[in-house]
Amino acid sequence: MADPLKKASGQECESFVRDLIDAGRDVAPGRDREALRKMLYFWTAEAVNRGERPRGELPALLPYTGTAPAQPEKGALLTAPIGAEQIEATPETRAAIRIGALARQWRISGRDVGYLLNGDALKEAATLTGVDPEIDQFIEASRKRVRRQTIAAASFYILLLGAIAIAATVVAFYYRGLSEERRVALKDRETAFQTMSVANSRESAATRNEARAAIEALNAGGENSLGPLKKLLQRIGDAQSAELDNLAVKSTQAINPTSSGNIVQSPPQQVIQRTPPSVGTCDGVLWLGNDTQRLIAGAAPLASLQGNETIKVNDNANIRLRNGMPSAAYLMAPQIGLVPGGATLVLTGKPEAHRSPTGSDQYFAPVKAPQEFCTRVYVQYFGDSAKVQSLRTDLGDLGFEVPQAQKLDSTRQLAEVRIFQAADLPMAKLVGSTLKTFNNGKDLPVRELFNFPTKPAAGTIEVWIDLSGP
């Protein structure tokens, strides 16, 4: 018999999850509500598997609105406080859903061993033994695979040790039969080989450093952006001067992160439209480059800049806005936005120097930026793919970060902007006004989903629009 789960589409799973959430209004706390919650968690895992819901977000049943008395609940793994408006799952519940989702993916994939667990993940799953037969089968299969791997590894090492012992015995007998003169010759060859290996290692390290310097010079731009690259090609590729003179930097639409992952190149002649300052601001940390390769306008040393000064980003150099300074190992903090070339910001503190892997000091500074630079707009659409690219370009020109659009049949006959936090309302109105050219000249209305069960953080806006019309 065919598995009914394989027939259900991702959208059908998501629709059923929403029906289960709404059903919470009519089911009183007790055994029936507990069964409904388990069913919700099961289909949530299926929706996650099919990419319709993000991982890590757990929905909850809507609060009970009836008057029936609550029934006692005891001993259930997936339980929550009776009467709570927002039911928060325990760590055990989240683990059960996560492991259960993996178990179903394993079963649907035809028991692909790539889904099986080991190490700490298997130990965590073992605590859920007896919760669900499918999870039990998944755990047992994982254990069998670990045992097979352990036996195979042990056998390999035993064979390896045996081979080493045999080789050592053969070498010992071999050397015993060599004359002193031949042993000295072999020792000299070994020393020469080690010396050559050290030299090659140093050469590789020098080449890597030169390549990194060339990448940073290309991304930073300037009159001599090709200089480090030409020097590298001349040294390792025997490139001739006439050949190197033909090299030129060409702009591209693709996003090219620098070594620190802070800057992306803009298309040529990109015009950045400005928005009113009344829409709000956000705080973050911006990469400024260094005094040799600056990413902001001006000539004063970067270390001399002070808080409350206004800075301007170089044209055609979009820089990622982050929520903190780099770590001591020069690892970048998470990105919270994107500052376009030509934008002006206000420093909220002095720049700090951080030593990059190439040995140069790079400056980072805390800044206050327009709110649109800290806002991501997710586009769901139906219809013309060319139109959606134009739509994303219009939003990007305002400074919004616009990930790849998602095509959904459920956006038919829709034209609206959705927000989940009240703080995003000014930006949502700006988005709706900007996209009126895609809605017969009318602003897209803003739909406020402030009571949505699992709301994203502030700075998240969704556009749902049908682009199939003329």
Side-chain angles (χ1 to χ4, degrees), residues 55-296:
R55 295 184 180 275
E57 295 183 2
L58 188 66
L61 299 174
L62 290 178
Y64 175 57
T65 58
T67 59
Q71 301 175 358
E73 300 182 69
K74 294 182 180 179
L77 174 63
L78 306 175
T79 60
I82 294 176
E85 290 186 4
Q86 193 72 14
I87 300 175
E88 181 178 357
T90 65
E92 292 82 2
T93 298
R94 292 183 182 275
I97 294 172
R98 188 173 65 257
I99 302 302
L102 282 174
R104 281 184 287 279
Q105 286 180 314
W106 171 67
R107 172 176 54 80
I108 294 172
S109 69
R111 301 178 180 270
D112 188 338
V113 295
Y115 287 101
L116 296 179
L117 306 176
N118 56 27
D120 292 339
L122 181 55
K123 291 179 181 179
E124 179 189 28
T127 63
L128 303 174
T129 301
V131 171
D132 181 83
E134 191 169 60
I135 293 179
D136 290 346
Q137 294 176 9
F138 184 55
I139 293 172
E140 181 59 27
S142 298
R143 285 172 172 167
K144 288 182 178 179
R145 183 169 182 245
V146 169
R147 286 195 293 268
R148 287 195 299 269
Q149 291 176 334
T150 301
I151 293 173
S155 300
F156 171 76
Y157 283 116
I158 291 173
L159 292 174
L160 179 61
L161 290 174
I164 291 174
I166 294 173
T169 302
V170 172
V171 170
F173 278 106
Y174 175 72
Y175 271 97
R176 188 176 299 171
L178 289 177
S179 65
E180 182 65 24
E181 183 178 348
R182 295 189 64 189
R183 283 200 297 270
V184 171
L186 288 174
K187 184 64 176 178
D188 291 342
R189 288 177 59 190
E190 181 181 358
T191 301
F193 177 76
Q194 291 176 348
T195 302
M196 185 173 60
S197 297
V198 171
N200 288 339
S201 177
R202 290 175 178 171
E203 174 70 14
S204 297
T207 301
R208 285 196 300 271
N209 290 336
E210 285 188 56
R212 179 55 60 194
I215 291 173
E216 291 192 355
L218 286 171
N219 286 321
E223 295 181 359
N224 192 33
S225 60
L226 283 172
L229 178 60
K230 289 181 178 180
K231 180 180 177 182
L232 177 63
L233 293 176
Q234 195 167 26
R235 185 176 65 82
I236 66 174
D238 195 25
Q240 303 302 309
S241 298
E243 296 173 314
L244 296 176
D245 290 340
N246 293 326
L247 291 178
V249 178
K250 182 180 293 184
S251 298
T252 175
Q253 296 285 349
I255 294 178
N256 300 313
T258 65
S259 60
S260 58
N262 291 301
I263 183 170
V264 297
Q265 299 299 328
S266 300
Q269 302 178 348
Q270 182 177 4
V271 178
I272 304 298
Q273 304 174 19
R274 290 290 163 254
T275 56
S278 60
V279 295
T281 59
C282 61
D283 295 316
V285 170
L286 191 74
W287 182 37
L288 307 182
N290 56 34
D291 291 326
T292 303
Q293 297 174 331
R294 301 169 63 97
L295 300 177
I296 61 173

Side-chain angles (χ1 to χ4, degrees), residues 434-457:
T434 301
L435 300 183
K436 63 184 178 182
T437 55
F438 300 92
N439 190 37
N440 298 321
K442 299 179 181 179
D443 290 3
L444 271 66
V446 178
R447 183 177 178 186
E448 300 174 353
L449 301 176
F450 299 157
N451 296 322
F452 198 73
T454 53
K455 297 187 293 185

